[in-house]
Amino acid sequence: MSPINFKQRFEFAKTLINQAGDLAMGYYRNLGSLNIQSKGLQDMASQADLETEELIKARIAESFPEDAFFGEETGGFSPPADQGMWVVDPIDGTACFIAGVPMWCVSIAFVVNEKIEFGLIYDPIHDELFSAMRGGGAHLNGKPITTSDTTSLTNGRMCVGFSHRSTADQIVPVFDALLKAGGMYVSYGTGALGLVYVACGRLIGYYEPHINSWDCYGAIAIIREAGGHTCHAEANNGLIDGCEIIATAPGITDEFAALLAASKNAA
Ligand code: LIP
């Protein structure tokens, strides 16, 4: 197998994610046309999700037929060793999207041997493209970004995500501990956007008891290159099973880790 050209795929993905965002925006501007399907409690999808993913999948297959694909809507499988794989959420923040809340994005990541090589997050509403290649720094619309320089949970906001894949007992103690520590939080319904807001310093951290790989891999690549700390989301079959996600600005990594551990012990 010839060496994988990451740079070529990364540049290809910058164009592709914009095309996918344009397609999704067409549906977003015509929400009345959506056929919404329930995937579970508070978990929905529409043809916008599926057709956006199908566009991404088809363009990748045309340009890189040797690559594997793993998407929220069409699934996939763990590839053999050394085979590259695209991990895609066509619309992250689907609940917001179908409700007309302007907080959603397209997420694309590329993984080889359980290592995230690059990630891109495109928010068409605000025309913001977050991107990073491993070793190449993190960027927002081509300009370098870095995480917040805060050194305290009392200086800045955490983003906290939740889905009914988890239980109230897993999240309520975290809110309790965070607020008692003088912290503050926001919650968007899109893990990918919340995570990249940590990468560019708008937020100081992200926590969610369980998140899927397609929701977070793209943003994780960007946070790591922006100087942030992330959990090892790829470990323990994270691609298939998802993970508990922790991402922080470096100055609060230890403080939040201690708070999270204490909240679990108190539960
Ligand atoms: C969403 C995630 C978010 C989670 C939501 C949902 P989707 O992804 O980004 O972190 O809390 O329940 O899973 O379903 O909008 O692609």
Side-chain angles (χ1 to χ4, degrees):
M1 179 183 285
S2 57
I4 295 174
N5 188 327
F6 296 129
K7 182 69 175 170
Q8 180 191 25
R9 287 168 169 78
F10 184 57
E11 295 304 319
F12 161 86
K14 287 179 183 175
T15 302
L16 177 58
I17 202 167
N18 270 286
Q19 293 166 340
D22 289 347
L23 177 62
M25 271 303 278
Y27 282 107
Y28 186 71
R29 292 192 181 102
N30 190 16
L31 293 175
S33 73
L34 294 185
N35 301 313
I36 297 164
Q37 308 292 327
S38 172
K39 301 198 293 185
L41 181 56
Q42 298 279 11
D43 188 9
M44 294 153 281
S46 75
Q47 71 269 37
D49 301 81
L50 182 58
E51 293 190 19
T52 302
E53 182 164 320
E54 293 286 8
L55 168 74
I56 295 169
K57 189 173 184 179
R59 295 285 167 81
I60 291 170
E62 287 166 10
S63 298
F64 304 104
E66 68 275 25
D67 292 352
F69 183 90
F70 193 102
E72 176 172 9
E73 306 308 331
T74 60
F77 54 88
S78 293
D82 302 328
Q83 183 182 11
M85 180 174 60
W86 298 77
V87 182
V88 171
D89 187 347
I91 297 175
D92 185 68
T94 299
C96 293
F97 183 96
I98 61 179
V101 174
M103 286 298 289
W104 56 271
C105 61
V106 183
S107 176
I108 296 177
F110 189 73
V111 179
V112 180
N113 296 328
E114 297 184 348
K115 187 176 291 183
I116 305 171
E117 293 295 340
F118 62 74
L120 303 93
I121 303 291
Y122 181 50
D123 167 1
I125 300 274
H126 303 96
D127 193 25
E128 290 190 325
L129 174 60
F130 299 85
S131 62
M133 256 187 79
R134 194 161 59 88
H139 298 84
L140 167 53
N141 289 348
K143 294 179 181 174
I145 54 175
T146 60
T147 52
S148 166
D149 60 5
T150 187
T151 57
S152 169
L153 279 171
T154 63
N155 179 23
R157 277 164 165 67
M158 290 283 297
C159 189
V160 178
F162 182 79
S163 74
H164 286 285
R165 301 184 297 272
S166 304
T167 65
D169 291 344
Q170 289 176 287
I171 193 68
V172 169
V174 179
F175 280 120
D176 183 73
L178 179 65
L179 297 176
K180 285 176 178 173
M184 277 297 287
Y185 71 92
V186 293
S187 190
Y188 295 137
T190 158
L193 268 190
L195 285 161
V196 288
Y197 285 2
V198 176
C200 67
R202 293 172 183 168
L203 300 175
I204 61 175
Y206 188 94
Y207 176 76
E208 185 162 358
H210 179 273
I211 198 169
N212 290 308
S213 58
W214 50 79
D215 295 324
C216 67
Y217 274 22
I220 282 174
I222 298 163
I223 292 173
R224 290 172 178 169
E225 285 300 315
H229 164 80
T230 75
C231 58
H232 188 196
E234 308 93 314
N236 306 315
N237 203 31
L239 173 76
I240 303 297
D241 297 335
C243 70
E244 175 186 39
I245 179 93
I246 302 161
T248 49
I252 62 149
T253 297
D254 293 343
E255 183 183 5
F256 182 73
L259 178 150
L260 183 61
S263 73
K264 290 178 178 178
N265 291 334

